[in-house]
Amino acid sequence: MVAGKSIEELIGHIRDSHHIGISGDRNKADLLNMGYYHGYKGYRFIGSSQNKVQLSDFDQVVAIYTFDANLKSLLYPHIMFFETAIQSRTLDSLIQHDKKAADFEYIFINLLTDYKKYSVGNHKYRDKMKQRLELRNRIYKAISDNYIQAKPVIQHFYHNNKMIPLWAIFEVLSLGEFGLFFQCLNEPTRVEITKGLNMHSIAHNNNGRILGDMIFLIKDMRNAVAHNAVVFDCRFRKINPPSRLKEYLQGETGIENISFENLIDYFILLVFILKRLSISNFKLQEMIDSLVCESEKLRLLIPVSVHASIMSTDFRKKTEFLKRYIMNEK
């Protein structure tokens, strides 16, 4: 049997075993609100549990927790906007190319054909075909699940004996499933979509794959934000971004050393995409100013060395270059 600890026992454990100064009703309320396991333990390290943060006072833990919560509030509306806008623009590009593209079965046969680039029997052919079939299974499962859950956008078409159009399918797909959809599109279609977003690049994006890279990077961050997981140290990152994406962003923004090891690089990516989606310079500047403001508030509450580890030593330099990019890029 596992024995739990009361809040008083947890406070004593933090103070005696972790040597963190904690006392009083305010600290007790903070710990109850953030939770020992979700909050305190999750904010005592950067990146991995082996990289413990050197803190001496519980208020410093609360400061990092609050900073992380404010980051999620800042990121959430922009990520949700990206998710809707990128699906809508993809749909519009497909329909402009072919009116029949509103039908998923037509797209499955004619456009979700990236596997055809390879010879039958080639391991890449098998991988791409497996990916394509997995996508179809996921889409049918999403439709089935949402019908059972009585989602009107799905039930309407079934109850009227109509095929479910692509826009309705997009409504019930996760961002990761949409990313898989984009990956399975053939090269001419991907290129057409990226050209429409002014993201085509002969040097780094001639096959249109970079948008898919971006979708999967933002998907991991989106899930962390939506499910209230930790975001400040990028521990949500599940993939190593390809060098083509890093080089492309560096070339487009003029900002060096983009590695996606610190959150500022995700803001660079998000600003780049939002600018391509016609978000105003004012709103983009406001987002970066809010990030800088949150960083400064945190800097005053925790040791300088810990702040530098969280934000990265080139945070200020990158934000200044990002502001220049926002104002100067056309």
Side-chain angles (χ1 to χ4, degrees):
M1 177 182 288
V2 177
K5 285 184 171 67
S6 69
I7 192 66
E8 299 293 348
E9 289 172 324
L10 288 171
I11 288 173
H13 177 69
I14 291 171
R15 183 173 52 242
D16 300 335
S17 299
H18 296 177
H19 310 293
I20 299 287
I22 177 171
S23 62
D25 290 341
R26 182 169 56 83
N27 279 170
K28 180 179 178 180
D30 286 335
L31 182 58
L32 279 168
N33 289 335
M34 73 166 63
Y36 178 81
Y37 297 99
H38 172 77
Y40 173 73
K41 293 200 75 173
Y43 293 90
R44 286 283 289 117
F45 63 87
I46 299 175
S48 68
S49 57
Q50 288 74 40
N51 189 20
K52 292 284 176 60
V53 179
Q54 297 303 311
L55 302 176
S56 59
D57 191 271
F58 188 71
D59 285 341
Q60 296 170 340
V61 180
V62 174
I64 297 174
Y65 174 86
T66 302
F67 170 69
D68 192 66
N70 292 344
L71 281 179
K72 283 178 275 200
S73 296
L74 175 59
L75 285 166
Y76 183 81
H78 298 294
I79 294 174
M80 294 303 107
F81 174 85
F82 159 77
E83 185 170 356
T84 300
I86 208 70
Q87 290 179 347
S88 177
R89 287 172 181 254
T90 297
L91 179 64
D92 182 66
S93 180
L94 293 173
I95 298 298
Q96 284 195 44
H97 174 75
D98 190 337
K99 298 292 185 184
K100 296 176 183 177
D103 179 72
F104 173 70
E105 290 301 325
Y106 178 85
I107 289 179
F108 185 79
I109 295 169
N110 295 282
L111 299 181
L112 295 170
T113 54
D114 193 45
Y115 68 96
K116 289 186 176 181
K117 287 178 60 177
Y118 308 100
S119 303
V120 177
N122 183 293
H123 73 94
K124 288 187 176 181
Y125 179 98
R126 292 194 298 272
D127 290 344
K128 292 293 182 181
M129 178 60 81
K130 178 182 176 182
Q131 198 175 56
R132 177 174 179 258
L133 295 174
E134 180 184 356
L135 170 66
R136 184 172 63 178
N137 289 341
R138 286 194 188 186
I139 287 176
Y140 288 157
K141 185 177 187 306
I143 291 171
S144 174
D145 289 347
N146 280 271
Y147 179 82
I148 293 169
Q149 294 165 16
K151 188 147 188 177
V153 72
I154 297 299
Q155 285 198 340
H156 166 78
F157 292 101
Y158 273 120
H159 292 171
N160 288 278
N161 198 31
K162 294 180 179 179
M163 296 296 295
I164 300 175
L166 188 61
W167 69 263
I169 291 173
F170 280 179
E171 285 290 311
V172 299
L173 292 187
S174 68
L175 187 56
E177 288 162 343
F178 174 75
L180 183 58
F181 175 91
F182 186 84
Q183 278 189 332
C184 290
L185 289 169
N186 59 42
E187 184 175 315
T189 305
R190 290 195 311 269
V191 168
E192 193 66 27
I193 294 168
T194 53
K195 281 183 176 179
L197 292 166
N198 193 24
M199 289 186 188
H200 187 60
S201 165
I202 299 299
H204 300 109
N205 192 30
N206 65 323
N207 60 8
R209 289 205 180 277
I210 278 180
L211 180 55
D213 299 334
M214 294 176 179
I215 291 169
F216 280 106
L217 267 182
I218 293 179
K219 179 264 297 184
D220 291 337
M221 180 169 64
R222 177 237 186 264
N223 290 344
V225 169
H227 297 290
N228 198 26
V230 177
V231 301
F232 78 93
D233 58 357
C234 302
R235 69 183 69 168
F236 56 78
R237 194 182 85 169
K238 295 180 180 178
I239 60 172
N240 184 29
S243 57
R244 66 187 175 214
L245 174 57
K246 299 172 189 175
E247 292 167 2
Y248 174 67
L249 276 179
Q250 288 170 172
E252 292 292 312
T253 63
I255 303 172
E256 298 179 347
N257 301 318
I258 295 176
S259 64
F260 294 101
E261 293 178 1
N262 298 97
L263 201 64
I264 180 58
D265 292 348
Y266 283 85
F267 272 86
I268 293 170
L269 171 61
L270 200 52
V271 164
F272 171 79
I273 295 174
L274 292 175
K275 197 165 178 66
R276 292 296 192 267
L277 294 172
S278 302
I279 295 301
S280 71
N281 290 346
F282 174 79
K283 287 187 176 180
L284 297 177
Q285 286 278 12
E286 190 176 52
M287 179 170 70
I288 300 308
D289 287 342
S290 296
L291 172 63
V292 171
C293 180
E294 293 298 333
S295 173
E296 283 301 298
K297 286 192 290 186
L298 180 66
R299 185 179 64 83
L300 297 174
L301 297 172
I302 64 175
V304 173
S305 60
V306 177
H307 182 266
S309 296
I310 291 173
M311 302 309 300
S312 80
T313 55
D314 60 357
F315 173 75
R316 289 188 180 182
K317 181 180 179 181
K318 282 183 173 179
T319 53
E320 288 303 315
F321 271 92
L322 185 54
K323 289 178 181 179
R324 289 183 211 171
Y325 164 72
I326 290 170
M327 298 308 298
N328 297 332
E329 202 269 348
K330 297 179 181 179

